[in-house]
Amino acid sequence: MTSPRTFRTVFPVLALCWLAVFFDGMDVNIYGAVMPHMLDDAGLGLTKASAGAIGSWTTFGMLIGALAAGNVTDWLGRRPLLVASITLFSFGSALCALAGSPAFFGAGRFVSGLGLGGLMPLCLAMVMEFAPPRRAALTTGLLMTSYHAGGMAATGLGLTVAPAAGWRWVFWAGAVPAVIAVPLLLRLLPESPGVLLARGERERADAVADRYGLARPTPVEAPAAGAKGRLEAVRALFRPESRWATPLLWLAAFCGLLLVYGVSTWLPQMMRASGYGVGSSVSFLLVINAGGIVGLLIAGRTADRFGPVRVSAIWFVLTAAGALLLRSQLPLGWTYVVVAGTGVVLFSAQVMVYAAVTTVYRDSERAAGLGWVTGVGRTGAVFGPWLGGVLAASGHDSWGFTAFALAGLAGAVAIACVPLAARSPRGGAAQPIGRPV
C-alpha cells in the first residue's frame, strides 16, 4: 500500500539532490570568485577578453551536457547520469587547478561544463517527480537554495583561500564533490519509477513508488525507451497544446541564464571597475547569492499560490530595475542593499521558468522538456559571460548592467506570453498555466 507523499517521506531524495546542486553552485561560482586574482596572476596570462571567452566555454559545455542528459536520462537512468555528471565536473576542476595557460584552463572549464550541464536537469526532474502534491514550485525553490549556498561557499573560498594560498587551491576544492557526493548517491538515491518501468522493471518501479509515497507509474506516464523514444519525446514538445509555449519557455530560459551566468561571472569585476576594492567586489557575489536563497524561499511559496509564470514575469522586471540601479554607483551601504535585493529576484526568476515546465508538459514529456529548456537556455549562459568579457575588454564594464536589464525585460515578456500560447495539456499531471502546481 502506498503511503502518503510528504516532505518527510521524500526527504532522502530531496536531500541528495540538494547536495548535488550545492556542489554545482560552488563550481559555477568559483570562477567569478577568483577571477580578480587570476587576472592579477601574470604567470597565467589571463586577460579580460580571454576570461570572458573561457566563461563561455564553460557554459557551452553545459549546453551540450544539458541536451545530452535530457535526452538519454530516461534510457540510461537518472542515478548513473548524476554520478557521471558529478565525476566529470570534479575532474574538470582538478584540470583547472593544474592549468599553466588560459587554453588549458579553458579546456578544464569545458569539461566541468559538460558535467554541470547534465546535473541540473537531472536533479530538477527527480525532485519534480518526487515532490509532494501541489508543492512542485516550492520544492524546486528549496532545491535551488543549494545552488546559492554553493555560490556562497565558492565566494568564501575566494575571499579566504585565494588570497592566502592562491587561486589554484580553490579549484582543488572543486574536486571534492567526487569524493563526498558520488558514494552517497550510489548508496542512497533511488532510480525514477517511470524510468524503471520504461526499462521493463515493473517490480522495482512499484517498490520505489510505494516506498516514497508515489503513485505507481503507468505505461502512459513512463517515457518511451530507445532512440525512437528520444525522438518522440522531442516531437511531443511541439504537439498542438505546447508548440508555441515551447519556444517561449526557451527564450525565457535564455534570458534567465544569461543573467545568472553573466552576473555570476562578471559581477565582482564590474564592481571592481566601478571603484570598489578586490575584497568588496568579491563580497558582492556572496551578498547576491544570499539574496538568492531568500528569494527562492519566497518565490516557491508565492508560486504555489499564484503560479510560477506570474511570479517569474514579475521577478524578471524587478531584476531589470535592480541592474539599472547598480549602474548608478550608489553609496556602499545602499549598493549592498540593491545587490541583495537583486539576488532575491534574479535567480528565482529563472528557477520559476523551470517550475513553469510542469504546467506545460505531461509526465512522460517532463524530462525531455526540462532538458531542452535548460539546454537551449544554456545558449544564454554562453552568451552572458562572453558579452561581459567583450564589454570589459573595451573598457565599458558598466554597460553590462544595461545589457542585463534588457535581458530581464525580454525574459519577462517571454514568460508572460506562455499562458497565451499554451492550452491545458491532456493526459498528464500538468495543470493549467497560472494555477499552483
Side-chain angles (χ1 to χ4, degrees):
M1 180 178 178
T2 301
S3 59
R5 189 183 355 160
T6 65
F7 278 112
R8 183 176 180 179
T9 59
V10 300
F11 176 79
V13 176
L14 302 183
L16 288 168
C17 289
W18 195 97
L19 178 65
V21 176
F22 171 88
F23 287 125
D24 181 307
M26 189 177 79
D27 196 285
V28 168
N29 285 274
I30 277 178
Y31 185 37
V34 301
M35 185 187 294
H37 299 282
M38 295 179 67
L39 290 171
D40 292 340
D41 184 353
L44 181 63
L46 187 70
T47 65
K48 291 182 178 180
S50 61
I54 288 172
S56 294
W57 296 351
T58 309
T59 50
F60 183 66
M62 290 180 181
L63 168 62
I64 297 174
L67 291 175
N71 287 281
V72 302
T73 178
D74 297 322
W75 178 24
L76 300 178
R78 292 176 188 169
R79 184 174 65 175
L81 284 179
L82 269 175
V83 170
S85 296
I86 292 174
T87 303
L88 200 56
F89 75 70
S90 297
F91 176 66
S93 189
L95 291 178
C96 291
L98 296 169
S101 67
F104 191 99
F105 180 83
R109 290 304 289 166
F110 176 77
V111 171
S112 291
L114 291 174
L116 292 167
L119 186 144
M120 188 64 73
L122 290 168
C123 286
L124 284 166
M126 285 292 287
V127 299
M128 287 182 181
E129 181 176 7
F130 283 79
R134 302 181 64 83
R135 288 294 181 265
L138 176 60
T139 306
T140 302
L142 289 172
L143 172 71
M144 294 306 296
T145 61
S146 62
Y147 176 91
H148 301 291
M152 294 174 68
T155 307
L157 292 171
L159 287 170
T160 57
V161 176
W167 60 267
R168 295 181 187 277
W169 282 103
V170 180
F171 283 98
W172 281 121
V176 170
V179 179
I180 296 177
V182 166
L184 290 174
L185 291 172
L186 288 173
R187 181 176 178 83
L188 301 175
L189 186 70
E191 185 55 88
S192 159
V195 171
L196 291 172
L197 180 61
R199 287 157 51 177
E201 301 180 53
R202 159 63 75 180
E203 291 186 3
R204 285 188 62 197
D206 289 347
V208 172
D210 292 346
R211 180 179 179 184
Y212 291 95
L214 281 66
R216 291 186 173 185
T218 65
V220 173
E221 296 169 342
K228 183 178 180 180
R230 307 282 69 72
L231 182 60
E232 289 300 322
V234 175
R235 287 177 177 171
L237 303 183
F238 292 92
R239 59 193 173 85
E241 294 89 345
S242 58
R243 65 173 51 149
W244 298 113
T246 291
L248 287 170
L249 286 170
W250 290 358
L251 177 58
F254 172 90
C255 295
L257 288 172
L258 185 156
L259 287 164
V260 168
Y261 289 96
V263 169
S264 296
T265 302
W266 284 105
L267 180 64
Q269 185 59 33
M270 287 192 300
M271 301 307 285
R272 186 184 187 188
S274 297
Y276 298 97
V278 174
S280 296
S281 298
V282 174
S283 69
F284 286 124
L285 197 59
L286 179 69
V287 172
I288 202 168
N289 276 291
I293 292 176
V294 175
L296 286 166
L297 295 175
I298 295 172
R301 289 186 175 275
T302 306
D304 276 331
R305 181 174 181 181
F306 298 105
V309 170
R310 293 191 184 102
V311 172
S312 182
I314 295 171
W315 265 226
F316 269 125
V317 172
L318 294 176
T319 297
L324 291 177
L325 284 174
L326 287 176
R327 186 177 180 179
S328 303
Q329 297 182 336
L330 301 169
L332 180 60
W334 282 109
T335 301
Y336 275 111
V337 172
V338 173
V339 169
T342 302
V344 168
V345 293
L346 187 159
F347 300 102
S348 50
Q350 167 61 27
V351 173
M352 290 304 107
V353 174
Y354 296 149
V357 168
T358 64
T359 70
V360 175
Y361 302 122
R362 297 173 295 193
D363 290 341
S364 59
E365 302 159 3
R366 188 169 296 158
L370 277 170
W372 278 90
V373 167
T374 55
V376 175
R378 293 292 182 189
T379 58
V382 173
F383 186 71
W386 172 83
L387 178 62
V390 170
L391 295 174
S394 63
H396 299 103
D397 301 74
S398 64
W399 287 13
F401 294 119
T402 302
F404 295 149
L406 292 174
L409 292 176
V413 172
I415 195 67
C417 288
V418 169
L420 303 176
R423 290 179 290 174
S424 178
R426 297 189 301 270
Q431 301 178 24
I433 300 271
R435 294 183 59 189
V437 294

